Amino acid sequence: MIDAHAHFEFYKKDAPRIIEECRGELRAVVDSITEYRKAHVWKSWGLLKPYFGFVFPTLGYHPNEARRGNWEKVKRVEEFILEHGDEIVAVGEIGLDYHYAENERQRENQRGIFRHFLELAIELKLPVVIHAREAEREAFELVQRAGVRAYFHSFAGSVELAREIIENSHVVGINTGVVFIPEVQAVARVIEVDHLLVETDSPYMSPVRGQRNVPCNVKVAAEWIARLQGIEFDEAEGVTEKNAVEFFGLEVGR
């Protein structure tokens, strides 16, 4: 299986051990290396680079960092992405998060920085990984205006919007929170598996409350898709794996 979205860097000293444990069960993990608080992209890159080939990196700027409107930091991250543009499989995660944006100024900061990185993705001819929380419709509209292909990770918006997203050739991520999030279950039930990727968003969204999530748990998301759609697990696993390979252009071995 392939975990389409995780954050090994957030395990810090435990990251090498967890990566090695996951090698035995997964073909690949797409790690969304994103600038967020003290998790600087250049530090995360250095930590994970020895594992590239199993770990496939994206680079981005998290909307909860973007709300601060620090364009000096944006420029540093942009330069780092340009430096490593031929080594990443997407730009992201980027997007909008209105849950934590405290006022309209912070939301406008998010919008401006989101547009900036959408333009960078176009320049690099790369797809984007989208974080959208309580702003799913607006994030989708900005993606459409930019004309870039997108992966809406950990999608918890409406079924109606999910249908519109896939009708426009984007893909939707079902994370391991499907175990307890009704909105995720609703999307996983009705959106055809041909348009879905599975992910853990590790170390978050654990299917077992109170436990730290790990990429190996990605099978739980596929199991729930199979159960909700009445298909075999092997079909859910195989198709979502193929979708990840095709969307990100992954070169993975058996």
Side-chain angles (χ1 to χ4, degrees):
M1 296 196 67
I2 294 174
D3 183 353
H5 190 98
H7 302 280
F8 278 126
E9 62 275 17
F10 291 163
Y11 297 108
K12 298 181 180 177
K13 292 181 180 179
D14 287 341
R17 174 180 60 81
I18 294 170
I19 291 171
E20 291 302 331
E21 289 174 356
C22 290
R23 282 185 191 271
E25 297 189 36
L26 304 177
R27 288 184 72 192
V29 175
V30 179
D31 192 292
S32 188
I33 300 174
T34 187
E35 184 72 14
Y36 185 36
R37 295 180 181 171
K38 294 182 180 180
H40 301 305
V41 291
W42 43 88
K43 291 183 179 179
S44 301
W45 186 272
L47 175 67
L48 299 181
K49 188 171 183 178
Y51 308 98
F52 288 177
F54 171 69
V55 175
F56 290 84
T58 77
L59 284 169
Y61 201 100
H62 199 284
N64 287 333
E65 183 65 34
R67 68 191 172 104
R68 307 176 196 280
N70 186 338
W71 282 90
E72 183 178 338
K73 181 183 276 191
V74 167
K75 185 62 176 176
R76 292 200 302 269
V77 173
E78 178 186 13
E79 289 172 353
F80 190 83
I81 293 174
L82 287 169
E83 181 182 350
H84 298 283
D86 60 349
E87 299 174 76
I88 60 176
V89 296
V91 172
E93 62 191 277
I94 56 176
L96 303 173
D97 190 321
Y98 289 173
H99 182 78
Y100 289 108
E102 298 171 356
N103 51 54
E104 182 57 26
R105 182 176 181 179
Q106 291 188 358
R107 292 185 175 192
E108 187 53 41
N109 287 339
Q110 288 187 354
R111 294 184 195 110
I113 292 172
F114 183 27
R115 293 189 195 100
H116 186 79
F117 283 101
L118 287 172
E119 292 171 2
L120 180 61
I122 293 169
E123 179 182 344
L124 293 172
K125 297 181 173 59
L126 288 171
V128 292
V129 178
I130 300 300
H131 172 114
R133 186 177 185 186
E134 298 178 17
E136 290 87 356
R137 166 62 63 179
E138 186 174 351
F140 169 66
E141 290 175 353
L142 287 171
V143 164
Q144 287 296 96
R145 289 184 198 132
V148 62
R149 192 165 184 231
Y151 170 42
F152 287 80
H153 107 86
S154 288
F155 187 79
S158 69
V159 169
E160 292 74 21
L161 180 56
R163 290 194 186 282
E164 199 169 342
I165 286 169
I166 67 168
E167 286 168 0
N168 283 277
S169 301
H170 309 298
V171 291
V172 170
I174 301 298
N175 69 35
T176 40
V178 66
V179 170
F180 56 86
I181 303 175
E183 293 84 357
V184 179
Q185 293 173 6
V187 171
R189 181 179 291 110
V190 302
I191 299 300
E192 296 84 351
V193 70
D194 290 344
H195 307 286
L196 298 178
L197 275 61
V198 287
E199 61 166 278
T200 61
D201 201 14
S202 295
Y204 311 109
M205 291 296 171
S206 175
V208 181
R209 289 187 181 272
Q211 291 186 12
R212 184 172 64 171
N213 205 4
V214 293
C216 292
N217 287 335
V218 72
K219 62 186 176 184
V220 174
E223 288 169 352
W224 271 76
I225 291 170
R227 184 185 313 169
L228 292 167
Q229 296 196 12
I231 62 177
E232 294 296 322
F233 170 78
D234 286 351
E235 179 179 356
E237 184 277 328
V239 175
T240 56
E241 177 183 299
K242 176 179 68 68
N243 295 344
V245 169
E246 292 178 352
F247 179 83
F248 291 110
L250 305 181
E251 296 182 8
V252 292
R254 285 288 176 185

